[in-house]
């Protein structure tokens, strides 16, 4: 039974928001159709269907100690392979109303498998009643029946959002929005997924001229309620912004920054939902020749708990950076360079590490074809634990080798093949922690 914190009756803002948003979208479409200007041309309607099959394979290999009663008898290599198969059906209906002043995209993705069944119904809508106002709607509903890895889990997720965008002047916009979310789960495995519902309101200003710097600042306030655990009910404030400036030669400079403040509505026994979080990134590209450029990106994140401890909820800072040349030749591009990552945790130094890796990215994008291959090799060096700290759970440094492959390939006969694969090998200083993992997904569909 998923219940904690004593019985109580609460409002359900998630369901109310979903219903209100769906009703709003219906009224918006009807009103727009009645008042549409005939200046934009005839409407269109298109249906696309994909039918096929998919298969997934995942496996993790690692060492574990074995015991005879309470005596340690050695260690053994164990794995956890799992293969899944499914039939897939994807339908997508796109069209316009009101002489193209209202556009909609309705999609349903159904997957019926031996271990996982999933159906996602989603819709996006855009309406322009006047030259100054634009409205957006985005309801989404998902159902999952998950029997992977000894689970027997039923899960419902729903969300709906509405946004109103007002043009203030040439290239300047103001935006207001609301979004609701809802999650319900039951069955074996649901004890790790708390039911919840939430409501978010947003406000934003944006400057997007044809020439010159572009920027956007957005604020959001969210209230989430957890019927299974009332101590986790919280408010969350979020501020995000980005700036884009074109450098000489038309290459972009991007600056992103944001911060969140989460606080529980009632006093909580832990600091899990009482914290500050900040994030930022800078990305720039400089052209060296017509085909060769130099691209760099630096990202940083930090979190501070109201009351930190050295076990679970401790402050930390994370830094990631990547730099390297990128060569573009027709449909083929190649990027090389180092990747650096570091985590700092003052109260629990054993969770901190410095990582350096060499990586490449080979990408091919052509008519009906997209391939991406990313090999990585590197070393992660963990910090030493604090003097006097227990050695239980302390990580050992390791070398790692990883390759990821993604592909979307047109196949003769109206078929399309989608592929995703990832393999990783870790060689630890303490070889008892050596590990390997493999994930592979193959999806073949016939397009109609």
């Amino acid at each position: 039974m998923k219940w904690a914190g004593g019985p109580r009756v609460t409002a359900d803002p998630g369901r109310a928001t979903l219903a209100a948003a769906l009703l709003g979208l219906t009224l918006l479409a009807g009103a727009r159709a009645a008042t549409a200007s005939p200046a934009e041309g005839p409407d269109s309607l298109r249906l696309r269907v994909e039918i096929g099959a998919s298969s997934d394979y995942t496996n993790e290999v690692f060492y574990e100690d074995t015991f005879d009663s309470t005596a340690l008898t050695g260690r053994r290599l164990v794995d956890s392979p799992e293969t899944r198969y499914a039939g897939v059906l994807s339908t997508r209906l796109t069209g316009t109303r009101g002489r193209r002043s209202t556009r909609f995209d309705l999609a349903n993705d159904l997957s019926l498998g031996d271990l996982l069944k999933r159906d996602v119904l989603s819709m996006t809508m855009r309406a322009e009643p006047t030259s100054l106002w634009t409205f957006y709607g985005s309801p989404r509903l998902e159902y999952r029946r998950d029997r992977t890895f000894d689970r027997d889990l039923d899960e419902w997720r729903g969300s709906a959002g509405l946004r109103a965008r007002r043009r203030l002047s040439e290239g300047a916009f103001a935006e207001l929005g609301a979004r609701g979310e809802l999650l319900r789960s039951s069955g074996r495995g649901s004890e790790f997924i708390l039911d919840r519902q939430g409501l978010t309101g947003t406000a934003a200003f944006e400057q997007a001229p044809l020439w010159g710097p572009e920027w956007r600042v957005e604020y959001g306030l969210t209230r989430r309620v957890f019927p299974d655990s009332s101590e986790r009910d919280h408010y969350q404030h979020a501020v995000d912004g980005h700036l884009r400036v074109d450098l000489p030669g038309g290459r972009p400079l991007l600056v992103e920054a944001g911060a969140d403040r989460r606080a529980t509505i009632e006093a909580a026994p832990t600091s899990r939902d009482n914290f500050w979080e900040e994030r930022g990134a800078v990305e720039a590209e400089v052209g060296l020749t017509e085909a060769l450029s130099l691209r760099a990106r630096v990202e940083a994140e930090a979190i501070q708990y109201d009351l930190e401890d050295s076990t679970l909820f401790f402050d930390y800072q994370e830094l990631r950076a990547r730099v390297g040349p990128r060569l573009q030749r027709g449909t083929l591009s190649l990027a090389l360079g180092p990747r650096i990552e570091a985590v700092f945790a003052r109260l629990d130094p054993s969770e901190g590490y410095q990582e350096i890796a060499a990586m490449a990215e080979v990408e091919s994008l052509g008519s009906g074809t997209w391939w991406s291959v990313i090999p990585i090799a590197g070393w992660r060096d963990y910090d030493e634990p604090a003097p006097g700290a227990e050695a239980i759970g302390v990580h050992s440094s390791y070398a790692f080798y990883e390759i990821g492959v993604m592909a979307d390939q047109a196949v003769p006969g109206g078929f399309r093949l989608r592929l995703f694969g990832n393999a990783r090998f870790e060689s630890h200083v303490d070889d008892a922690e050596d590990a390997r993992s493999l994930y592979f997904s193959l999806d073949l569909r016939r397009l109609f």
Side-chain angles (χ1 to χ4, degrees), residues 310-311 314 343-345 348-353 382-385 393-395:
S310 59
T311 306
F314 49 85
V343 171
F344 308 94
D348 189 357
S350 63
E351 292 293 333
Y353 63 82
Y382 276 97
D383 296 337
E384 295 294 328
V394 173
H395 308 285

Side-chain angles (χ1 to χ4, degrees), residues 7 137 190 266 271 333 415:
S190 63
E266 301 175 1
S271 200
S333 68
F415 288 89

Side-chain angles (χ1 to χ4, degrees), residues 130-287:
T130 72
S131 61
L132 297 179
W133 285 95
T134 306
F135 296 92
Y136 302 86
S138 54
R140 186 177 190 273
L141 182 64
E142 177 182 356
Y143 170 73
R144 289 170 58 95
R145 175 70 186 281
D146 188 349
R147 296 192 298 114
T148 62
F149 299 105
D150 298 323
R151 287 186 291 248
D152 191 2
L153 174 66
D154 282 285
E155 188 176 322
W156 287 92
R157 293 177 182 265
S159 65
L162 284 171
R163 290 186 295 134
R165 184 178 173 90
R166 174 69 156 81
R167 183 167 65 86
L168 303 177
S169 61
E170 191 63 37
F173 303 89
E175 202 173 277
L176 290 175
R179 185 173 187 84
E181 61 183 60
L182 177 70
L183 169 63
R184 292 292 183 267
S185 63
S186 61
R188 188 168 64 249
S190 63
E191 60 272 18
F192 303 108
I193 304 174
L194 293 180
D195 291 350
R196 61 180 178 267
Q197 57 261 4
L199 178 63
T200 301
T202 61
F205 291 96
E206 182 176 334
Q207 184 76 32
L210 291 177
W211 308 101
E214 301 177 9
W215 58 266
R216 178 182 172 91
V217 177
E218 180 173 329
Y219 167 76
L221 174 61
T222 301
R223 182 179 188 267
R224 292 192 182 91
V225 175
F226 296 78
D228 303 326
S229 180
S230 59
E231 67 186 30
R232 296 209 61 183
D233 295 354
H234 63 256
Y235 287 103
Q236 182 165 324
H237 304 265
V239 179
D240 286 283
H242 81 257
L243 170 67
R244 175 188 169 120
V245 178
D246 289 332
L247 300 174
R251 307 285 183 169
L253 169 65
L254 302 177
V255 180
E256 303 168 354
D260 293 346
R261 168 56 177 166
R262 180 180 293 187
T264 53
I265 298 173
E266 301 175 1
T270 73
S271 200
R272 171 176 46 193
D273 291 303
N274 290 279
F275 61 81
W276 288 88
E277 183 178 9
E278 303 84 32
R279 56 196 169 274
V282 178
E283 181 175 326
E285 185 175 357
V286 178

